[in-house]
């Protein structure tokens, strides 16, 4: 089964006349449709809100589109908070899910009126000292062990640095109640990139049961439960994707089973999705510039791991379409490489593709989240532009490419 790019070759040929490759291209229509699908799936919950994980795609134009669709932001750092503020999100629309948090970040989050999600029990004292305890607060939960669906181990929370243990979250809620907190939330992120409709409902059940106990034993008002991120996408072409409507219904069912009978039918459900919202709605567009025939067949492209780190970092699969050759037989086996002096700078290894000629445009799929954002400047390579493909088919540059001056700007003797 093939993955189909959201642009045609004809469209892309026109776009590259305006913007040199490589660049990230985002699909406004797809982004809006994804957000609408999510809101529909959770429309049974009155206070539902998606706080888009800014770290996935930190671009103000994207954030503003999501805001128009009803989303807030989930921030993890000072600059993400600043970006959310400058994009017009008010405190009620900002979640601050950080860890190992510097004081200045708590201070800004508190000033903005963002919902602070505490990663650790010791952060209560830290927050009290640096910014004061707000009336509404959230705590991040980590039950430890492994997160399994039946016999499938999905992830390993016991090994993750995030969140409080069960004992700690009870103690934290007690302390926070004494410190005057009026409204509490619970947050948890136990498995990443889950391609199953069961993840959210299973997580939700655990959190709902915990919420009932916290309410009964500590006597606190739980206003919201944040299922965070982790709903994945099918990076592989033969994988079946998640069905967000089924996921929403699955959470609805456990909500009715656990929270409603406990008199907690007013609890709001929040999400902090990044990948699900944006990954399929972004392509990295790059051009074949070299071919090399040594011990293997290599195609060198003008993008590198600086533009998309996931393959180098996690060995992640990203599907590749050679534009205009969709119907040609995949009878060549290539490593598709970037130019870094790192042998893991390969977008694909031993990938069956049609014959690639120099100048061919390649679309690397599913790069809209944790793509551009993860980039770095190794080898002095520069980050690319980001382009928005608008609903009317026109394009807009929503971030220019870095120039050498940007790279030199922080270096003594070059610019200051
Ligand atoms: C606290 C938090 N929320 C949300 C997300 C978004 O996760 P995803 O992109 O898998 O939905 C992340 C990802 O790292 C995260 O750390």
């Amino acid at each position: 089964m093939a993955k189909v790019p959201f642009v045609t070759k004809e469209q892309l040929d026109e776009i590259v006349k305006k913007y040199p490759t490589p660049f990230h291209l985002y699909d406004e229509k797809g982004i809006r449709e994804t957000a609408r699908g999510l809101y529909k799936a959770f429309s049974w919950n009155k206070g539902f809100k998606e706080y888009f994980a800014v770290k996935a795609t930190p671009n103000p134009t994207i954030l503003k589109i999501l805001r128009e669709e009803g989303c807030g932001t989930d921030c993890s750092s000072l600059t993400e908070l600043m970006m959310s503020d400058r994009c017009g999100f008010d405190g009620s629309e900002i979640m601050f899910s950080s860890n190992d948090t510097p004081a200045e970040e708590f201070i800004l989050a508190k000033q903005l009126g963002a919902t602070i999600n505490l990663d650790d029990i010791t952060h209560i004292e830290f927050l009290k000292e640096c910014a004061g305890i707000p009336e509404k607060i959230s705590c991040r939960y980590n039950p430890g062990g492994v997160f399994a669906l039946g016999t499938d181990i999905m992830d390993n929370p016991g090994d993750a640095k995030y969140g409080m243990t069960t004992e700690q979250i009870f103690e934290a809620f007690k302390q926070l109640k004494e410190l005057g907190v009026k409204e509490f939330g619970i947050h948890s992120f136990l498995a990443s990139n889950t391609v199953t409709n069961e993840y959210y409902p299973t997580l939700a059940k655990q959190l709902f049961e915990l919420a009932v106990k916290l309410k009964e034993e500590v006597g606190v008002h739980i206003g919201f439960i944040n299922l965070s991120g982790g709903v994945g996408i099918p990076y592989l072409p033969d994988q079946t994707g998640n069905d967000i409507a089924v996921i929403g219904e699955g959470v609805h069912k456990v909500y009715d089973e656990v929270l409603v009978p406990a008199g907690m039918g007013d609890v709001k459900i929040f999400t902090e999705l990044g990948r699900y919202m944006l990954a399929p709605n972004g392509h990295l567009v790059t051009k074949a510039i070299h071919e090399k025939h040594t011990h293997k067949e290599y195609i060198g492209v003008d993008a590198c791991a600086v533009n998309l780190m996931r393959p180098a970092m996690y060995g992640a699969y990203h599907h590749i379409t050679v534009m205009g050759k969709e119907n040609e037989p995949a009878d060549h086996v290539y490593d598709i490489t970037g130019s870094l002096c790192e042998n893991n700078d390969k977008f694909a290894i031993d990938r069956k593709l049609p014959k690639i000629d120099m100048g061919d445009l390649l679309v690397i799929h599913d790069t809209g989240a944790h793509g551009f954002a993860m980039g770095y400047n190794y080898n002095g390579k520069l980050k690319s532009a980001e382009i928005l493909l608008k609903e009317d088919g026109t394009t807009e540059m929503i971030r220019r490419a870095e120039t050498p001056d940007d790279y030199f700007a922080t270096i003594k003797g070059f610019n200051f």
Side-chain angles (χ1 to χ4, degrees):
M1 234 198 333
K3 269 183 181 272
V4 181
F6 56 72
V7 274
T8 62
K9 176 167 173 8
E10 292 66 36
Q11 272 177 304
L12 208 53
D13 284 340
E14 286 307 308
I15 295 172
V16 297
K17 283 185 194 158
K18 245 171 124 180
Y19 312 104
T21 55
F23 54 80
H24 281 268
L25 185 69
Y26 301 101
D27 179 22
E28 178 178 5
K29 183 164 172 278
I31 295 169
R32 290 190 187 276
E33 280 171 5
T34 308
R36 287 174 198 173
L38 175 69
Y39 271 88
K40 189 161 174 232
F42 284 89
S43 55
W44 54 268
N45 185 258
K46 247 178 115 200
F48 174 78
K49 195 166 181 78
E50 153 70 358
Y51 293 84
F52 175 70
V54 178
K55 64 174 80 66
T57 322
N59 187 297
T61 306
I62 304 287
L63 298 186
K64 284 179 190 165
I65 291 171
L66 289 167
R67 184 160 190 257
E68 285 170 12
E69 298 299 333
C71 302
T73 59
D74 154 44
C75 301
S76 63
S77 65
L78 191 76
T79 50
E80 291 180 1
L81 285 168
M82 290 167 71
M83 190 183 284
S84 300
D85 182 35
R86 289 188 197 178
C87 286
F89 290 91
D90 70 34
S92 69
E93 298 170 299
I94 304 174
M95 187 67 61
F96 185 50
S97 294
S98 60
N99 68 94
D100 188 19
T101 315
E104 59 172 353
E105 302 192 0
F106 275 141
I107 292 167
L108 181 59
K110 175 91 182 326
Q111 262 170 19
L112 296 178
T115 302
I116 293 174
N117 181 28
L118 291 179
D119 181 64
D120 189 47
I121 190 165
T122 60
H123 293 185
I124 297 174
E125 191 57 30
F126 189 85
L127 178 66
K128 194 174 109 195
E129 289 302 311
C130 68
I133 302 290
E135 287 202 342
K136 177 167 75 174
I137 207 156
S138 172
C139 289
R140 184 166 182 166
Y141 176 56
N142 180 343
V146 293
F147 185 86
L149 293 178
T151 52
D152 281 347
I153 293 180
M154 309 292 294
D155 223 319
N156 196 355
D159 220 19
K161 66 173 178 170
Y162 312 106
M164 307 182 194
T165 66
T166 309
E167 214 183 12
Q168 286 170 342
I169 202 167
F170 276 84
E171 178 56 29
F173 272 45
K174 274 183 211 152
Q175 290 181 18
L176 289 163
K177 187 183 168 199
E178 277 167 24
L179 289 166
V181 172
K182 302 270 182 303
E183 183 182 349
F184 288 80
I186 307 173
H187 166 280
S188 198
F189 188 155
L190 299 185
S192 189
N193 191 32
T194 57
V195 190
T196 156
N197 295 330
E198 294 306 309
Y199 169 64
Y200 256 7
T202 308
L203 170 72
K205 187 163 190 283
Q206 278 191 34
L207 296 184
F208 294 168
E209 285 168 354
L210 175 71
V212 172
K213 276 198 194 146
L214 280 163
K215 183 194 163 202
E216 284 170 358
E217 293 178 27
V218 190
V220 289
H221 166 56
I222 312 265
F224 57 94
I225 292 177
N226 183 346
L227 303 175
S228 191
V231 174
I233 60 134
Y235 286 99
L236 297 164
D238 55 0
Q239 250 177 325
T240 307
N242 290 316
D243 183 335
I244 202 68
V246 174
I247 292 175
E249 259 324 292
V251 176
H252 190 180
K253 185 165 171 277
V254 288
Y255 189 98
D256 284 350
E257 280 167 11
V258 181
L259 288 181
V260 174
M264 296 172 74
D266 59 346
V267 171
K268 298 179 210 122
I269 300 299
F270 295 161
T271 56
E272 282 176 354
L273 295 168
R275 193 186 313 273
Y276 178 79
M277 303 299 285
L278 249 297
N281 299 314
H283 292 331
L284 173 57
V285 179
T286 184
K287 193 187 285 175
I289 56 171
H290 289 288
E291 56 187 304
K292 181 166 178 173
H293 316 281
T294 54
H295 307 291
K296 295 183 90 173
E297 291 295 295
Y298 295 103
I299 295 293
V301 295
D302 58 5
C304 65
V306 162
N307 309 110
L308 176 69
M309 256 179 106
R310 298 186 72 258
M313 192 148 160
Y314 311 119
Y317 180 96
H318 279 266
H319 199 66
I320 294 177
T321 299
V322 184
M323 295 304 283
K325 297 188 173 172
E326 292 82 347
N327 298 320
E328 293 187 12
D331 54 4
H332 284 61
V333 177
Y334 294 118
D335 281 12
I336 307 291
T337 69
S339 55
L340 294 191
C341 302
E342 276 286 357
N343 197 39
N344 65 2
D345 185 13
K346 295 177 178 175
F347 292 115
I349 296 173
D350 297 332
R351 183 78 55 90
K352 284 188 183 153
L353 288 165
K355 180 173 186 310
I356 296 177
D357 295 295
M358 295 306 90
D360 278 352
L361 289 175
L362 273 59
V363 156
I364 305 182
H365 290 252
D366 301 318
T367 58
H370 311 293
F372 176 92
M374 269 190 173
Y376 62 139
N377 282 113
Y378 192 49
N379 284 194
K381 294 282 176 178
L382 305 174
K383 296 180 81 179
S384 79
E386 292 180 292
I387 312 293
L388 180 69
L389 176 64
K390 296 202 213 176
E391 284 187 295
D392 64 5
T394 61
T395 51
E396 184 188 349
M397 183 159 64
I398 57 173
R399 185 195 300 261
R400 67 163 171 80
E402 281 181 344
T403 65
D405 280 346
D406 294 318
Y407 181 72
F408 295 136
T410 55
I411 305 173
K412 183 165 193 253
F414 274 74
N415 249 306
F416 73 91

